[in-house]
Amino acid sequence: MNAGRPFARPPPCMLLQTLRASCACAAALFLCLAAGGVRADAPAPPCALPVPVTGAPAGSTLPAPRIINLAGSVPIVTMAPFAEFLIAMGYPEASLRDPRDGSLSTSSYTASEQLAGTIAWYYENDGMRPMLVGHSQGGMLVVRTLHELAGAFNDQIPVYDPVADAPLPRTTIRDPYTHAARPVVGLEVSFAAALATGALPRLLLGQWTMLPRLRKIPDTALAFTGFTVAWDPIAGNFGTGTPYVAVGTADVRNVTLPATYSHIGLPITEHLAANPVTRAWIDAYRPDAIPPVPDAPDVDVRNLLHAADLWYSIRAHWCNEGQRRRAAEGSS
């Protein structure tokens, strides 16, 4: 890599049947459950203000870090609708699409070692720490990858090239800021989130090594938000759920969504950016001062709360990472 330009990028079963049955039962159950409240337990990110009404950070020409969106185990709904929401809100499409096949959603059956190596590749080439957002099993993979980066499963992790779709013969990167070699183990993501990720599917799918780690967030995420749907039988949650906790210094938040929210349908958010009413609500959203939800009969507010909260955090970390890279470019 050119030492003067550190940010240059290279060219381009049975258990499932059980889950499907659970999904069908849950869909009926959600119709009968009373709506709950939303709880957010952290202050506003410092880089989120001020922002223009377009939703992009101040200075929308800022480079944007890679976001990897991870679908659930049975992707009846993938994470593509959520990615489309982010694009409509102003996030650069190129930072969301897979560089190899152009997809907007990644399988949650991807190995955590590969995903950790991919995060290292993006950081080395983009000069910005990526973000991870996972739905259901995808959220489990988010948390597992954070533990992978913390060295819980492997002492060394190969860098993985997502363009070539192949591991590289090295386990270190050249840090784009210090220019020193550093291992993949110990790298960080700027933000990570898990949507409706529960212990019951981990048990059914034999993902037992994650049971004691599922709610513990290591320092390999600067910030993490865990979203729990109240009374979510698919996740095995029959209440408000077990909160996520930091095992070190990670900024961990827990948000409880109303019981009327559908586990399966959580990624369906693209309509919120298209409607001027919900878009304005999202732009005005602050976790510490949540405005009243629009109640007009012709306004579709499905999934409004977590879409707004995620956009708030993503926008803030876009700002932080973009400014960090710009500052480094200016001093090089």
Side-chain angles (χ1 to χ4, degrees):
M1 190 176 297
N2 189 320
R5 300 185 60 83
F7 303 114
R9 292 186 60 176
C13 100
M14 285 184 64
L15 292 173
L16 294 181
Q17 291 173 346
T18 301
L19 286 177
R20 289 190 185 103
S22 297
C23 293
C25 293
L29 181 59
F30 280 121
L31 297 176
C32 303
L33 293 170
V38 61
R39 185 176 69 247
D41 52 10
C47 203
L49 296 172
V51 291
V53 294
T54 57
S60 58
T61 58
L62 282 175
R66 173 67 48 174
I67 297 179
I68 301 173
N69 291 303
L70 297 156
S73 60
V74 185
I76 299 170
V77 177
T78 70
M79 286 294 281
F82 176 69
E84 295 286 2
F85 160 77
L86 294 178
I87 293 167
M89 292 300 296
Y91 205 83
E93 185 172 350
S95 295
L96 289 158
R97 289 199 177 275
D98 185 285
R100 183 174 176 84
D101 63 16
S103 61
L104 292 170
S105 182
T106 300
S107 169
S108 58
Y109 290 99
T110 303
S112 58
E113 182 180 23
Q114 175 181 327
L115 189 55
T118 301
I119 288 166
W121 188 92
Y122 281 127
Y123 176 61
E124 181 179 51
N125 287 275
D126 294 347
M128 294 174 287
R129 291 165 289 204
M131 304 187 220
L132 299 173
V133 181
H135 172 225
S136 195
Q137 179 170 279
M140 180 280 297
L141 183 55
V142 167
V143 178
R144 182 179 176 90
T145 301
L146 297 180
H147 285 284
E148 187 82 67
L149 286 168
F153 305 111
N154 297 283
D155 294 331
Q156 294 186 322
I157 299 172
V159 178
Y160 196 94
D161 183 344
V163 178
D165 193 22
L168 300 179
R170 55 189 173 96
T171 59
T172 62
I173 64 164
R174 177 177 174 273
D175 189 284
Y177 294 92
T178 67
H179 310 303
R182 61 179 298 185
V184 174
V185 171
L187 293 177
E188 304 161 325
V189 300
S190 58
F191 174 69
L195 287 158
T197 298
L200 179 60
R202 312 291 69 80
L203 187 63
L204 293 174
L205 292 168
Q207 298 160 349
W208 301 324
T209 59
M210 281 306 297
L211 288 173
R213 297 181 172 95
L214 193 61
R215 290 295 192 265
K216 297 177 181 178
I217 306 304
D219 291 346
T220 47
L222 298 184
F224 176 91
T225 303
F227 296 89
T228 301
V229 178
W231 298 96
D232 179 358
I234 297 177
N237 169 27
F238 299 98
T240 56
T242 304
Y244 293 89
V245 296
V247 296
T249 60
D251 179 10
V252 175
R253 300 176 54 232
N254 289 278
V255 176
T256 300
L257 301 172
T260 48
Y261 276 38
S262 162
H263 178 109
I264 299 168
L266 289 179
I268 301 174
T269 49
E270 70 273 31
H271 62 285
L272 298 168
N275 187 299
V277 174
T278 49
R279 188 187 184 101
W281 192 93
I282 291 167
D283 280 327
Y285 177 89
R286 301 288 179 269
D288 57 350
I290 300 173
V293 175
D295 60 358
D298 58 341
V299 176
D300 186 353
V301 295
R302 284 176 303 155
N303 300 323
L304 180 61
L305 296 174
H306 63 276
D309 198 274
L310 281 167
W311 176 239
Y312 183 81
S313 294
I314 287 170
R315 183 172 52 180
H317 291 283
W318 173 10
C319 178
N320 287 332
E321 292 299 309
Q323 287 183 351
R324 181 175 182 242
R325 172 175 155 173
R326 278 287 167 80
E329 289 175 328
S331 63
S332 61

